[in-house]
Amino acid sequence: MTLKFYNTLTRQKQTFEPIDEKNVRMYVCGPTVYDYAHIGNARPIIVFDVLFRLLRHVYGKDHVTYVRNITDVDDKINARAEKEGLSIAQVTARTTEQFHKDIKALGVLEPTVEPRATDHIKEMIEMNKTLIEKGHAYEAEGHVLFSVPSMKDYGRLSNRTLDEMIAGARIEVASYKKDPTDFVLWKPSSGNEPGWQSPWGYGRPGWHIECSAMSEKYLGKTFDIHGGGIDLTFPHHENEIAQSRCAHNTDKMANLWMHNGFLQVEGEKMSKSLGNFITINELLEKWPGDVLRLNMLRTQYRQPIDWTEKGLQESYDALKTWYSRCDFGVADKLDETVVEALSDDLNTPKMIAALHQLKGDALAGSLKAIGFTGKLEDPRTASFDEAAIQTLITARNQARADKNWTESDRVRDELDAMGVVLKDGPEGTTWEAKR
Ligand code: AMP
Ligand code: ZN
């Protein structure tokens, strides 16, 4: 089986050849835990979960190591703790727990390792020391900075010139920087800010060094796949590459760099100010997790997604048809037509077309293997009084048997007002929640 993926680093679709077939290694940047995850955050989680499942299918379940970190030290977390009068630990524990709950409902497997940044401060300090020793970093006013001009081929991933980087709004100009493009590996902490003792005083790590230190610990100096959202290409991934390659004297940090495209909502960029910022948690109140998962996979991962109610309804309908055509009792097993579609740069629209052609065990096994549960309970029916609905249905059936049409219509209207739609079929009357 040949797997082909688009590599951001080479700007080409390439055949995937793992460094070690017995241990295929992938790192994906995980969430910064300060707030509920939104549906855009779910995209890399679902996309790389599908990739993880494909790799396990091809190389064997015990031959893939997937690391997805938790960033639990970040200034956004400090700000949130301050605002709510909570400790940093309370904010990160609460948010991490919610994140796990949300993505479990989306059918996402646990990664092999889920390291937390705050458990790896020692490794980050060691890496910073190495970078200083090798002349790639320097200390200034309690900070440690990476010296961008010390790396000859900095910028290959995002293909930016130095001028473009300087023009990039994200670059902070500070007096202690030798060059405006230099970035922070360590910074001083005071007051309520989280901090650890280091050779450069009491402080905390920069964001980029977290992923370099944790990926080395669990995957080694060079590994197979590094993933994340397209916005992470610069500066985050560019800087991860600079740190790791300069610390380890390697020509690559990861062979294959994969980035998912962005998600927007009903044609607009998702943002708090536009009021269209939707969390996974909110969506799960309205839609089964399987629907959110399928809706995410209807677009190939590199393309932008427009997330709409219409799309969700179509995803719901597709799942309903599939689930009526198969029984989820069987083992999970990917059908070869599904594998073939995914092997082509995770072509999930092609995979869905393949699923439409399947039925029975081939369909159920494939759906299970790509993370669907087979359950489509309308989460809103949970708030319905099923016994009361059943009583009304019985009353309506009786009225119909008595040919009392006024009464049977009245009962139907009453149910309709409750948000219940009746379906009269050969097996009797069933109901579902109105959409
Ligand atoms: P953050 O917590 O902002 O670091 O984001 C966590 C992950 O979600 C990163 O891989 C981001 O690239 C990704 N992400 C954030 N917003 C979106 C979006 N609107 N669409 C797709 N991916 C996103
Ligand atoms: Zn990262």
Side-chain angles (χ1 to χ4, degrees):
M1 173 57 59
T2 312
L3 303 181
K4 286 198 168 168
F5 302 115
Y6 181 85
N7 190 350
T8 309
L9 194 58
T10 57
R11 285 155 191 87
Q12 274 170 11
K13 218 196 255 190
Q14 291 176 322
T15 301
F16 178 64
E17 281 163 22
I19 299 165
D20 175 5
E21 289 205 1
K22 295 266 170 274
N23 184 17
V24 180
R25 291 163 286 156
M26 169 161 83
Y27 187 94
V28 174
C29 299
T32 303
V33 282
Y34 69 100
D35 201 353
Y36 282 97
H38 58 66
I39 190 62
N41 300 134
R43 193 170 190 194
I45 301 291
I46 293 176
V47 161
F48 291 103
D49 178 66
V50 170
L51 178 55
F52 182 37
R53 289 168 184 271
L54 174 67
L55 294 171
R56 282 158 51 109
H57 172 83
V58 174
Y59 297 98
K61 280 200 164 75
D62 301 328
H63 300 290
V64 184
T65 306
Y66 175 24
V67 180
R68 191 189 62 219
N69 72 293
I70 298 267
T71 293
D72 60 354
V73 48
D74 187 278
D75 290 352
K76 289 197 280 275
I77 302 172
N78 311 345
R80 177 56 60 103
E82 189 126 324
K83 192 171 143 207
E84 294 198 26
L86 297 172
S87 72
I88 287 173
Q90 282 170 318
V91 170
T92 58
R94 177 183 77 180
T95 315
T96 304
E97 194 188 323
Q98 181 66 45
F99 170 72
H100 285 150
K101 240 182 14 209
D102 287 347
I103 65 168
K104 190 158 181 222
L106 301 178
V108 172
L109 294 175
E110 283 179 24
T112 322
V113 194
E114 191 179 53
R116 288 164 201 238
T118 52
D119 292 333
H120 298 80
I121 302 293
K122 193 176 99 260
E123 287 83 352
M124 297 173 207
I125 291 176
E126 283 310 309
M127 196 165 208
N128 288 346
K129 281 206 248 174
T130 307
L131 287 168
I132 293 174
E133 277 159 26
K134 295 193 170 174
H136 288 295
Y138 59 93
E139 185 188 356
E141 299 175 24
H143 293 71
V144 178
L145 292 137
F146 185 91
S147 163
V148 169
S150 78
M151 183 185 188
K152 275 202 298 293
D153 56 350
Y154 179 90
R156 265 177 44 202
L157 182 73
S158 54
N159 224 0
R160 278 165 197 244
T161 64
L162 275 174
D163 285 346
E164 282 167 340
M165 285 185 248
I166 294 165
R170 291 203 194 204
I171 292 202
E172 192 191 336
V173 181
S175 57
Y176 48 80
K177 284 189 182 178
K178 288 188 188 161
D179 188 278
T181 59
D182 293 350
F183 59 88
V184 168
L185 301 174
W186 188 265
K187 58 187 166 189
S189 294
S190 62
N192 289 335
E193 288 165 349
W196 292 264
Q197 291 303 336
S198 81
W200 320 289
Y202 183 71
R204 61 193 190 281
W207 172 34
H208 317 307
I209 197 72
E210 297 178 8
C211 291
S212 284
M214 291 186 280
S215 63
E216 181 202 352
K217 175 153 180 188
Y218 298 102
L219 300 175
K221 293 179 169 42
T222 302
F223 51 94
D224 298 298
I225 304 174
H226 194 313
I230 187 81
D231 58 319
L232 299 188
T233 312
F234 182 84
H236 184 53
H237 289 167
E238 200 71 83
N239 292 350
E240 280 188 34
I241 292 175
Q243 296 159 162
S244 295
R245 284 187 46 207
C246 290
H248 307 317
N249 286 331
T250 47
D251 64 352
K252 269 182 198 146
M253 176 184 187
N255 284 327
L256 172 61
W257 288 79
M258 292 175 72
H259 292 100
N260 63 269
F262 248 49
L263 175 150
Q264 55 172 16
V265 174
E266 307 282 355
E268 286 187 284
K269 184 176 184 275
M270 186 166 40
S271 78
K272 288 213 162 123
S273 56
L274 285 173
N276 64 353
F277 185 91
I278 14 175
T279 64
I280 303 173
N281 180 55
E282 274 167 339
L283 280 164
L284 284 169
E285 279 172 20
K286 232 178 131 192
W287 298 94
D290 280 15
V291 172
L292 306 187
R293 187 175 178 92
L294 180 64
N295 202 44
M296 197 66 89
L297 297 177
R298 288 171 72 205
T299 309
Q300 200 262 358
Y301 77 97
R302 292 205 290 129
Q303 306 304 320
I305 290 192
D306 189 23
W307 187 269
T308 62
E309 276 287 316
K310 181 169 167 279
L312 285 161
Q313 184 64 55
E314 286 163 5
S315 302
Y316 180 92
D317 294 342
L319 287 170
K320 205 158 179 199
T321 309
W322 288 340
Y323 294 171
S324 71
R325 290 213 309 252
C326 64
D327 166 14
F328 258 64
V330 300
D332 59 336
K333 187 178 178 303
L334 281 175
D335 189 83
E336 279 315 303
T337 56
V338 170
V339 178
E340 200 186 300
L342 291 177
S343 305
D344 179 16
D345 202 23
L346 300 183
N347 192 336
T348 50
K350 199 164 147 196
M351 168 190 90
I352 290 166
L355 289 167
H356 280 302
Q357 302 302 315
L358 297 176
K359 54 181 191 297
D361 288 358
L363 178 60
S366 296
L367 286 168
K368 247 172 117 169
I370 46 177
F372 291 96
T373 64
K375 295 198 198 85
L376 261 193
E377 271 113 49
D378 185 323
R380 289 178 299 173
T381 57
S383 59
F384 284 100
D385 182 344
E386 302 210 18
I389 292 169
Q390 216 46 62
T391 307
L392 285 166
I393 290 176
T394 310
R396 177 171 164 267
N397 286 344
Q398 186 58 51
R400 276 159 42 115
D402 299 344
K403 301 203 169 16
N404 184 348
W405 309 120
T406 327
E407 175 61 6
S408 75
D409 285 351
R410 192 197 60 73
V411 177
R412 179 188 277 273
D413 290 347
E414 187 177 338
L415 284 161
D416 183 76
M418 289 164 71
V420 171
V421 185
L422 296 181
K423 298 224 154 148
D424 294 312
E427 272 107 56
T429 307
T430 56
W431 65 277
E432 58 182 41
K434 216 194 294 179
R435 289 213 167 269

